[in-house]
Amino acid sequence: MRIVPKSRIAYINPPRTATMYIEDVLREATGNRVFTPSAKLSGHHTVYAPKWEDFHWFVSVRHPYTRCVSIWRRLIEHEPPGRAGVWKEILATRRHFEDVLLCDLPYVREYWQFLPCKQFTKDVPRVDTVVRQESLAEDLAKVPGLNSRIKRVTRNKPHASQDRTPWHKWFTPECITFIQETFAADFEAYGYTRDFEAVKRGEYTT
């Protein structure tokens, strides 16, 4: 999570939803400092305090199919989050998307259960704006303080993976079912379609 006190903005930032890019937008468009609320928590954890009640709260989200591939790529291409030693052992024998996604080890099960974007908003009283990665510039412009200056900072693109394989090539029917069940709240809350073929065509919402 990030806050911009001088602009009265609170940003809920689930991982792999263009978070670094959005943080740059917040900093450049507002001209103010962007803070992590608590140094004791991960940069993606959400906290709430009554003093932020009148802030404009927004969350960034992404379609669960493409986001899960992005999360997996992050795991195998970079330093894993949390207990790096545990992940190193897990990834030593499991590198393929399906193997990591459907791994039955408790730590991995808990990891995927933690990741739905809706989970990151459960402790806040409201969300004023939802920013979908698929319509990033359009949705960011709805956040007060960003709309008048958004054009000059959206020339940069969100982080891209080193792997250029089309995201949908990694999927099996079992992967689709798992994501539909695990990320059910995201499909419902953010209007994302479960239709895999539609998402392949770039049609993300219902």
Side-chain angles (χ1 to χ4, degrees):
M1 177 180 162
R2 299 291 185 267
I3 57 171
V4 191
K6 288 188 176 181
S7 299
R8 310 195 75 74
I9 292 173
Y11 167 41
I12 301 168
N13 60 343
R16 314 311 296 165
T17 60
T19 57
M20 294 178 65
Y21 171 73
I22 293 173
E23 186 172 342
D24 286 343
V25 169
L26 283 172
R27 186 179 297 107
E28 294 184 40
T30 66
N32 294 321
R33 290 185 63 187
V34 178
F35 295 90
T36 300
S38 174
K40 297 179 181 179
L41 298 174
S42 160
H44 293 289
H45 281 78
T46 304
V47 296
Y48 176 77
K51 63 182 178 181
W52 304 325
E53 183 178 3
D54 64 345
F55 281 24
H56 186 94
W57 288 77
F58 79 97
V59 61
S60 56
V61 303
R62 183 176 183 178
H63 195 287
Y65 294 154
T66 61
R67 182 167 174 249
C68 283
V69 173
S70 180
I71 291 166
W72 163 70
R73 283 172 168 162
R74 180 71 180 179
L75 286 172
I76 64 173
E77 292 176 0
H78 302 277
E79 184 72 19
R83 298 164 62 186
V86 175
W87 274 115
K88 184 177 181 180
E89 182 177 347
I90 292 168
L91 295 174
T93 56
R94 300 170 180 84
R95 303 287 291 180
H96 194 275
F97 176 63
E98 182 178 19
D99 294 335
V100 177
L101 187 73
L102 303 182
C103 177
D104 60 1
L105 294 176
Y107 183 74
V108 181
R109 296 284 89 187
E110 292 170 8
Y111 178 71
W112 289 111
Q113 293 292 334
F114 163 77
L115 286 169
C117 294
K118 189 64 176 171
Q119 280 283 101
F120 292 80
T121 68
K122 62 185 178 65
D123 294 326
V124 301
R126 71 179 194 284
V127 172
D128 299 302
T129 302
V130 173
V131 174
R132 295 175 180 82
Q133 183 163 322
E134 298 80 17
S135 51
L136 194 56
E138 177 184 348
D139 290 344
L140 277 173
K142 299 173 185 176
V143 178
L146 302 189
N147 55 343
S148 62
R149 301 176 68 184
I150 196 71
K151 291 183 179 179
R152 75 179 185 86
V153 293
T154 53
R155 63 183 181 276
N156 300 316
K157 294 182 179 180
H159 169 76
S161 170
Q162 299 170 16
D163 190 335
R164 301 302 180 186
T165 304
W167 65 268
H168 54 83
K169 294 293 186 180
W170 301 107
F171 276 75
T172 64
E174 291 77 15
C175 292
I176 296 173
T177 298
F178 175 82
I179 292 172
Q180 289 180 349
E181 293 175 351
T182 305
F183 291 79
D186 285 3
F187 284 102
E188 292 296 333
Y190 308 121
Y192 283 126
T193 181
R194 290 174 169 80
D195 186 334
F196 188 74
E197 294 301 318
V199 180
K200 283 172 61 176
R201 297 192 298 268
E203 301 166 9
Y204 298 101
T205 56
T206 54

